[in-house]
C-alpha cells in the first residue's frame, strides 16, 4: 500500500507540472487517467484492509488524506496506532518492577536468556496456531523473503532449537520480548496488538512430568511475588481431551477445530459452544451432547478417579496416557506445595495446534467477563464503527498460559527416510502476559503514588552555594553507589529544590550552605517525615556523610 501511495504522489506531481507548463491537453488527460487508476487501486486495497478501511471512512469524502487547515501545513493527527500505546515514567516504573520480579524467579530456577528476531520467515509461523493464524501480521515482500511479525515467543524458540539443537539439547530458557497479533484490542484490559510476553521453557528429554511440575511452581512463584491477588491455575491434558473427542465420536479431522470451540467455554455458555460445534463446524449433535457431559467437569485429583472409572475413556489409549501423566503430576505438585492453586478443568483446550500434552492457564477472580444482572457472563461486543472491543463486555482473560509441545522442534528439522523428524527435543513452558498483569496492578494504585525514579538523595544548595560544590557532593555519593541528583541551575531557588524532593518522592536531602562548607559540615533531612524536630536538617561532619546516608538507606 505504501508503494502505491508513493506512486500516486509522484504521478500527482507530474500532472501538476504538466498543467503549470501548459502541456498538450491530450498528454495531461492521459496522465490524469493514470493517476485515477492508481487511486482506484489504493481504494480497493484499503477496503480489503479493516484498519485502512476504517481510516478511509473517517476521512471526509473528496478530501483523502487532507490535513486539517487549523493545524497548519504539514501538521499530523497525532495518535497511537490501534492496539498500541505509550507508557509514562510512572507506568514504566510499574512495568520494570514486573519484569525484574519475573526475571528474579526465572533465574532462581536456573533460567538463561536468549533473543530472536522480531520477524520470522512467514513459512516458519504458518500452520502453528490453528484458527488464530489469521491474527498474524504479514509484512510486505522485501528483497525476496516473505516475513511475518512473531505471534509468540514459542515458535521462534523451537526454530532456534532446530538450528542449534546439537549445542542446546537441554536448556532452561527465558525470553522477555514483544509479540504482535492483529486482534481486536481492549486497551484497559491488557488486550493489545503489540505486547510483551515473559516465557520460561524447559527443553530436553527428561522423565515424565518432572519439568512440567517445576514450570507450574515457577508460575505460582511469579504470580505470588507480583501480588496480583488470589489466582487459579487451570490444568488439562491434550491426550485426555483428544480421548474424550474420540469416544464421543468426533472424526479425527475435526478434533482440532472442535477443541478450539471448547476453548471458548470460559467466555461463552455451553449452548453457544454447542451451536458452534454443530451448526458452524458440522459436528453430529449427539456427539456434541456427549462432549458437553465431559467438558463441564472440573475439580482436583479426585476427578482423575472418576475419569479412570469411565469404561469408555479408560479403554481409550490416548486418554489413558493423559490420565497417567496427570496422576504423576498431582503427586509432584503436592511435593512442590503447588496443589492448592490447581483446578483440573476439562473445558480448558488451548487453541494452539502445537500443544501435545499438559496444558494450563492462570486466571484471577477478575479475569472473566463482567456478570450481567441475570447472572450470565457478558458477551464480547465491538464498539460501533470500529473493530475494537467494548471494554465493558470483556474481562482481562488468562494472565498466563502454556503447556507441553514435544513435536514443534521436529517440524523444523526435516525428516529421515522413515519419515521421522531428524531432531526431536521435547519442550514444556509457560508464558506470562505482561500487559494483563500491568492492567491489574495499575487498577490497584494511583499514578501520583508511584515513584518513577530511584533517586535516593537530592543535594540542596542554600545561600548561593556554587554548582561546583553541589557537583562535588554528588560525585562523592555516586562514587559510593548512592543514587543522587542536584539542580541544573547555577542559582536554584530553595523552594524549587524542596519541590523536586516532594514530586519525585526522594527520601533524603543533603543540605549544604556557605557556612557548612567552611566548617566541613553537611545537613541530612528525611524528606518523608514532617517532624519539626528536624528543622533544617541534622548536622554531621562531611566525612560522615556517606556512612550516615548508607545507614539510613539500609533502614528503608
Amino acid at each position: 500500500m505504501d508503494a502505491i501511495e508513493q506512486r500516486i504522489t509522484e504521478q500527482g506531481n507530474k500532472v501538476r507540472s504538466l498543467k503549470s507548463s501548459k502541456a498538450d491537453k491530450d498528454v495531461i488527460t492521459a496522465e490524469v487517467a493514470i493517476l485515477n487508476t492508481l487511486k482506484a487501486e489504493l481504494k480497493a486495497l484499503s477496503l480489503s484492509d479493516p484498519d485502512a478501511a476504517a481510516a478511509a471512512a473517517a476521512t471526509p469524502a473528496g478530501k483523502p488524506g487532507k490535513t486539517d487547515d487549523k493545524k497548519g501545513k504539514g501538521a499530523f493527527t497525532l495518535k497511537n496506532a490501534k492496539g498500541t500505546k505509550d507508557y509514562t515514567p510512572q507506568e514504566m516504573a510499574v512495568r520494570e518492577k514486573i519484569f525484574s520480579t519475573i526475571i528474579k524467579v526465572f533465574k532462581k530456577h536456573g533460567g538463561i536468556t536468549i533473543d530472536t528476531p522480531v520477524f520470522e520467515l512467514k513459512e516458519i509461523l504458518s500452520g502453528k496456531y490453528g484458527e488464530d493464524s489469521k491474527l498474524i501480521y504479514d509484512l510486505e515482500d522485501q528483497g525476496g523473503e516473505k516475513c511475518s511479525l512473531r505471534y509468540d515467543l514459542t515458535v521462534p524458540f523451537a526454530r532456534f532449537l532446530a538450528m542449534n539443537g546439537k549445542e542446546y539439547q537441554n536448556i532452561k530458557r527465558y525470553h522477555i520480548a514483544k509479540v504482535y497479533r492483529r486482534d481486536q484490542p481492549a486497551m484497559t484490559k491488557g488486550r493489545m496488538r503489540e505486547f510483551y510476553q515473559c516465557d520460561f521453557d524447559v527443553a530436553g528429554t527428561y522423565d515424565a512430568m518432572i519439568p512440567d511440575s517445576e514450570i507450574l511452581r515457577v508460575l505460582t512463584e511469579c504470580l505470588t511475588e507480583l501480588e496480583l491477588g488470589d489466582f487459579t491455575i487451570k490444568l488439562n491434558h491434550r491426550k485426555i481431551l483428544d480421548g474424550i473427542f474420540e469416544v464421543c465420536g468426533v472424526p479425527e479431522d475435526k478434533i482440532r477445530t472442535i477443541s478450539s470451540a471448547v476453548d471458548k467455554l470460559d467466555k461463552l455458555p455451553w449452548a453457544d459452544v454447542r451451536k458452534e460445534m454443530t451448526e458452524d463446524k458440522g459436528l453430529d449433535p449427539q456427539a456434541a451432547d456427549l462432549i458437553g457431559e465431559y467438558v463441564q467437569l472440573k475439580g482436583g485429583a479426585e476427578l482423575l478417579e472418576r475419569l479412570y472409572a469411565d469404561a469408555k475413556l479408560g479403554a481409550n489409549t490416548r486418554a489413558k496416557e493423559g490420565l497417567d501423566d496427570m496422576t504423576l503430576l498431582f503427586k509432584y505438585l503436592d511435593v512442590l506445595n503447588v496443589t492448592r492453586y490447581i483446578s483440573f478443568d476439562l473445558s480448558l483446550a488451548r487453541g494452539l495446534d502445537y500443544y501435545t500434552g499438559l496444558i494450563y492457564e492462570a486466571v484471577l477472580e477478575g479475569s472473566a467477563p463482567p456478570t450481567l444482572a441475570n447472572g450470565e457472563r457478558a458477551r464480547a461486543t465491538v464498539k460501533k464503527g470500529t473493530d475494537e472491543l467494548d471494554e465493558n463486555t470483556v474481562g482481562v482473560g488468562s494472565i498466563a498460559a502454556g503447556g507441553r509441545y514435544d513435536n514443534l522442534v521436529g517440524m523444523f528439522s526435516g525428516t529421515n527416510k522413515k519419515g521421522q523428524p531428524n531432531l526431536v527435543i521435547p519442550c514444556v513452558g509457560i508464558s506470562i502476559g505482561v500487559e494483563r498483569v500491568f492492567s491489574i496492578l495499575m487498577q490497584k494504585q494511583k499514578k501520583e503514588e508511584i515513584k518513577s525514579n530511584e533517586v535516593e538523595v537530592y543535594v540542596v544548595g542554600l545561600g548561593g552555594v556554587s554548582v561546583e560544590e553541589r557537583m562535588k557532593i554528588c560525585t562523592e555519593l555516586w562514587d559510593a553507589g548512592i543514587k543522587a541528583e542536584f539542580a541544573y541551575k547555577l542559582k536554584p531557588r530553595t523552594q524549587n529544590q524542596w519541590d523536586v524532593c516532594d514530586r519525585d518522592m526522594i527520601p533524603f536531602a543533603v543540605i549544604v550552605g556557605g557556612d557548612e562548607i567552611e566548617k566541613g559540615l553537611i545537613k541530612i533531612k528525611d524528606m518523608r517525615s514532617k517532624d519539626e524536630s528536624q528543622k533544617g536538617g541534622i548536622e554531621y561532619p562531611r566525612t560522615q556523610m556517606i556512612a550516615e546516608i548508607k545507614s539510613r538507606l539500609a533502614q528503608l
Side-chain angles (χ1 to χ4, degrees):
M1 192 176 293
D2 290 343
I4 291 181
E5 289 175 342
Q6 178 65 29
R7 289 173 62 193
I8 288 173
T9 300
E10 293 171 354
Q11 188 66 19
N13 291 337
K14 185 175 183 180
V15 169
R16 283 189 288 275
S17 176
L18 290 170
K19 288 181 177 179
S20 64
S21 63
K22 297 182 180 181
D24 185 273
K25 187 176 180 180
D26 290 337
V27 173
I28 294 174
T29 300
E31 296 299 335
V32 168
I34 294 173
L35 178 61
N36 289 335
T37 300
L38 290 171
K39 288 182 176 180
E41 289 179 18
L42 178 62
K43 184 176 180 181
L45 280 174
S46 298
L47 292 176
S48 66
D49 181 336
D51 288 346
T59 304
K63 299 180 180 179
K66 185 174 181 179
T67 302
D68 186 347
D69 290 338
K70 293 180 181 178
K71 295 180 181 178
K73 286 187 176 182
F76 293 93
T77 300
L78 297 178
K79 66 173 187 175
N80 291 97
K82 191 178 298 181
T84 68
K85 67 166 291 184
D86 299 319
Y87 293 96
T88 65
Q90 290 83 3
E91 290 173 328
M92 283 305 300
V94 174
R95 292 170 70 81
E96 286 184 347
K97 185 177 180 181
I98 293 172
F99 290 135
S100 63
T101 299
I102 292 172
I103 290 173
K104 182 179 178 181
V105 175
F106 287 171
K107 287 186 175 182
K108 181 168 69 172
H109 287 266
I112 58 176
T113 192
I114 67 167
D115 196 12
T116 60
V118 74
F119 53 88
E120 297 275 350
L121 293 176
K122 184 176 180 179
E123 63 184 14
I124 296 291
L125 303 183
S126 298
K128 310 301 187 302
Y129 303 105
E131 294 182 4
D132 283 351
S133 292
K134 64 181 180 292
L135 303 180
I136 293 174
Y137 269 107
D138 292 330
L139 304 177
E140 288 190 14
D141 187 336
Q142 300 285 353
E145 289 186 339
K146 292 184 178 180
C147 296
S148 301
L149 294 177
R150 61 188 174 202
Y151 177 90
D152 65 6
L153 302 177
T154 304
V155 171
F157 177 50
R159 190 263 308 151
F160 172 88
L161 289 175
M163 292 176 64
N164 302 279
K166 291 183 179 179
E167 185 175 356
Y168 298 106
Q169 285 283 328
N170 302 289
I171 182 176
K172 280 184 177 179
R173 151 273 195 190
Y174 75 86
H175 190 187
I176 296 178
K178 288 182 177 180
V179 298
Y180 300 85
R181 298 183 185 179
R182 192 184 174 85
D183 207 348
Q184 293 174 313
M187 303 295 285
T188 65
K189 302 299 176 67
R191 295 168 175 260
M192 306 176 69
R193 289 182 168 180
E194 177 191 62
F195 56 96
Y196 272 95
Q197 284 188 336
C198 297
D199 282 21
F200 185 92
D201 294 77
V202 178
T205 302
Y206 301 99
D207 288 332
M209 308 315 291
I210 296 176
D212 307 63
S213 59
E214 186 178 3
I215 288 285
L216 292 170
R217 171 72 194 198
V218 169
L219 176 57
T220 60
E221 288 185 20
C222 286
L223 300 185
T224 301
E225 291 288 332
L226 289 168
E227 299 180 342
L228 297 171
D230 293 339
F231 60 88
T232 300
I233 301 174
K234 299 194 291 185
L235 299 182
N236 201 359
H237 200 293
R238 265 287 171 84
K239 291 182 179 179
I240 296 176
L241 202 58
D242 290 351
I244 289 172
F245 294 152
E246 285 183 359
V247 302
C248 291
V250 178
E252 183 70 27
D253 63 347
K254 287 185 180 292
I255 283 181
R256 281 292 162 260
T257 186
I258 296 303
S259 178
S260 179
V262 169
D263 197 42
K264 298 174 184 175
L265 276 171
D266 63 333
K267 306 179 187 72
L268 299 174
W270 166 248
D272 287 3
V273 173
R274 183 186 185 279
K275 182 180 178 182
E276 180 178 333
M277 288 179 176
T278 55
E279 296 185 15
D280 299 344
K281 297 183 175 178
L283 184 65
D284 184 284
Q286 186 176 359
D289 291 335
L290 290 172
I291 291 171
E293 294 177 11
Y294 284 107
V295 298
Q296 296 182 74
L297 298 175
K298 62 181 66 176
E302 75 284 350
L303 181 54
L304 285 169
E305 298 176 11
R306 179 174 176 178
L307 297 175
Y308 270 122
D310 184 305
K312 290 184 178 179
L313 203 59
N316 182 276
T317 302
R318 282 187 184 178
K320 179 66 167 52
E321 290 176 358
L323 292 171
D324 290 346
D325 276 351
M326 292 294 284
T327 300
L328 192 55
L329 178 68
F330 271 105
K331 174 184 174 182
Y332 294 148
L333 294 181
D334 280 341
V335 177
L336 296 177
N337 199 23
V338 173
T339 310
R340 65 184 184 275
Y341 302 107
I342 300 299
S343 171
F344 183 15
D345 190 332
L346 291 180
S347 70
L348 179 64
R350 301 292 297 142
L352 303 182
D353 280 357
Y354 51 66
Y355 289 124
T356 58
L358 181 69
I359 50 177
Y360 35 81
E361 67 179 29
V363 295
L364 302 176
E365 181 59 34
S367 292
T371 302
L372 302 175
N374 60 7
E376 294 184 1
R377 293 290 190 185
R379 302 186 186 187
T381 57
V382 177
K383 292 178 184 178
K384 189 174 181 180
T386 74
D387 67 346
E388 296 183 42
L389 290 172
D390 180 346
E391 302 185 21
N392 294 317
T393 66
V394 295
V396 173
S398 62
I399 54 175
R404 175 160 287 280
Y405 51 103
D406 288 346
N407 301 330
L408 188 55
V409 175
M411 294 174 66
F412 298 123
S413 66
T415 57
N416 57 26
K417 293 179 179 179
K418 296 180 180 179
Q420 299 170 331
N422 289 318
L423 180 66
V424 175
I425 302 180
C427 301
V428 62
I430 188 70
S431 179
I432 300 172
V434 170
E435 315 310 331
R436 298 183 180 188
V437 170
F438 172 73
S439 70
I440 293 165
L441 291 179
M442 287 304 294
Q443 291 169 19
K444 291 185 174 185
Q445 52 192 313
K446 298 177 181 177
K447 282 189 179 182
E448 59 269 20
E449 296 175 352
I450 300 171
K451 181 173 170 57
S452 59
N453 65 44
E454 296 186 11
V455 175
E456 298 161 322
V457 177
Y458 196 81
V459 178
V460 176
L462 304 179
V465 168
S466 70
V467 68
E468 288 88 353
E469 286 296 338
R470 286 179 281 129
M471 283 180 172
K472 286 179 183 178
I473 293 175
C474 255
T475 300
E476 289 180 43
L477 294 167
W478 293 332
D479 287 346
I482 296 168
K483 299 161 187 170
E485 280 189 332
F486 65 97
Y488 285 180
K489 290 274 190 180
L490 294 176
K491 296 181 179 180
R493 293 179 57 192
T494 302
Q495 187 57 48
N496 289 350
Q497 296 175 83
W498 299 133
D499 289 345
V500 171
C501 293
D502 291 337
R503 183 196 68 200
D504 293 346
M505 292 180 271
I506 299 172
F508 300 109
V510 168
I511 305 160
V512 59
D515 292 341
E516 284 83 5
I517 292 172
E518 291 180 7
K519 297 175 181 178
L521 301 173
I522 51 93
K523 291 181 180 178
I524 298 175
K525 185 173 182 178
D526 187 336
M527 297 304 298
R528 302 163 302 158
S529 173
K530 304 304 177 184
D531 184 359
E532 290 297 325
S533 65
Q534 287 192 104
K535 295 184 179 179
I538 301 173
E539 202 168 70
Y540 295 92
R542 174 82 167 263
T543 55
Q544 294 180 18
M545 176 181 70
I546 298 300
E548 180 61 26
I549 289 290
K550 285 191 172 183
S551 174
R552 292 186 181 220
L553 289 174
Q555 298 174 33
L556 291 180

